Amino acid sequence: AAPATSPHRARYPFYIGEPLLRACMWRRLSRLRQRGAHGTDDWLEDFLHLSKQQTLLRFDTAGWRDRWSLHCDAEYGGSSTVELQQGEAEGEGTARFAGQTVTEIDSDNSSVSPETGKRAVYAGWAAMRTDVEGDGWDLKDFHGIRLRVRPDGRGYMLNLRTVGILGGEDVDIYQARMPPSPVLGDWCELRLPFSAFVLTSRGYVQHSQAMNLETLKEVGL
């Protein structure tokens, strides 16, 4: 990572490997035990043949860049920048999430949010996100997310947007802080259990609520 140009400015090259996300771990044993209790004798054999992981997102498919949208505080009056490009290692299916975060806000020249009509108060963030194709991911039979990344030491959050527990048009956002890599600049495998995600609203942690893993609609970084 390039050194910060000032105490309030920092560049953030962050590499994401192929595949980006995998749902991992074993499916729940209790469900199969219940089947066995109802007279099915092959529940253990079924369990031993279950898939341990499922690939969710990749960066080596046609049109992968078009599915991602980029956002930063410039939309609300800040000065940060963001970009997403093919990774430097050709053929490896990697992407480079980069830009510059700026925490200062020039109140005289900052733009007004088109959504709220208010000037930005906090700045210094950028994000990439994509909608899940089809009806969403059903990950209730998995225990967490696995990522292959090459981080730069900055702070990152993984966001999962799900259909609300009560259904309807409600959408819940769960966030998990990605722990720093012990060796900067090296590729590593990061595993985040679903228990690491907390329900948030406008950046504030809400009362504890189980994530609806049956319908995940969006993922972001």
Side-chain angles (χ1 to χ4, degrees):
T5 56
S6 81
H8 303 286
R9 295 172 180 264
R11 300 186 183 278
Y12 56 95
F14 183 90
Y15 290 87
I16 310 167
E18 174 277 312
L20 165 63
L21 295 176
R22 284 179 176 168
C24 55
M25 307 289 187
W26 288 97
R27 298 189 179 189
R28 293 177 181 148
L29 182 60
S30 60
R31 189 172 303 172
L32 292 176
R33 282 178 172 167
Q34 185 178 10
R35 287 175 51 193
H38 284 80
T40 303
D41 298 328
D42 59 348
W43 66 270
L44 180 58
E45 182 178 355
D46 290 344
F47 173 73
L48 294 176
H49 289 85
L50 286 173
S51 174
K52 294 182 180 180
Q53 64 184 24
Q54 173 183 328
T55 300
L56 301 176
L57 288 172
R58 309 178 68 99
F59 291 104
D60 60 353
T61 56
W64 70 267
R65 176 61 184 82
D66 296 335
R67 68 175 298 169
W68 290 92
S69 61
L70 301 178
H71 306 272
C72 68
D73 56 52
E75 302 172 15
Y76 303 96
S79 302
S80 297
T81 61
V82 59
E83 62 182 27
L84 181 63
Q85 302 174 344
Q86 191 75 54
E88 297 175 353
E90 296 182 3
E92 293 186 4
T94 61
R96 184 175 185 265
F97 174 60
Q100 185 180 50
T101 52
V102 183
T103 57
E104 305 105 321
I105 298 179
D106 185 349
S107 59
D108 295 330
N109 298 316
S110 62
S111 59
V112 177
S113 168
E115 296 181 358
T116 64
K118 298 180 181 179
R119 295 190 181 277
V121 178
Y122 302 105
W125 62 270
M128 54 183 283
R129 67 187 187 192
T130 182
D131 292 329
V132 174
E133 298 177 348
D135 296 330
W137 292 330
D138 182 355
L139 302 182
K140 65 179 179 297
D141 292 330
F142 296 89
H143 291 173
I145 296 290
R146 185 170 69 178
L147 306 91
R148 180 172 175 258
V149 296
R150 198 175 84 187
D152 61 350
R154 301 290 305 278
Y156 292 89
M157 304 285 289
L158 184 66
N159 303 332
L160 299 178
R161 189 184 297 263
T162 75
V163 172
I165 294 292
L166 299 180
E169 298 181 357
D170 294 334
V171 177
D172 296 332
I173 300 177
Y174 290 81
Q175 296 184 305
R177 184 175 299 277
M178 299 170 59
S181 171
V183 182
L184 295 181
D186 286 354
W187 287 100
C188 62
E189 185 177 278
L190 175 64
R191 300 190 180 196
L192 293 173
F194 290 129
S195 59
F197 289 82
V198 295
L199 178 65
T200 65
S201 177
R202 297 185 180 274
Y204 293 94
V205 176
Q206 304 299 298
H207 293 294
S208 178
Q209 178 175 310
M211 187 189 307
N212 179 9
L213 295 174
E214 295 187 8
T215 313
L216 270 70
K217 303 296 291 185
E218 183 183 280
V219 60
L221 180 70

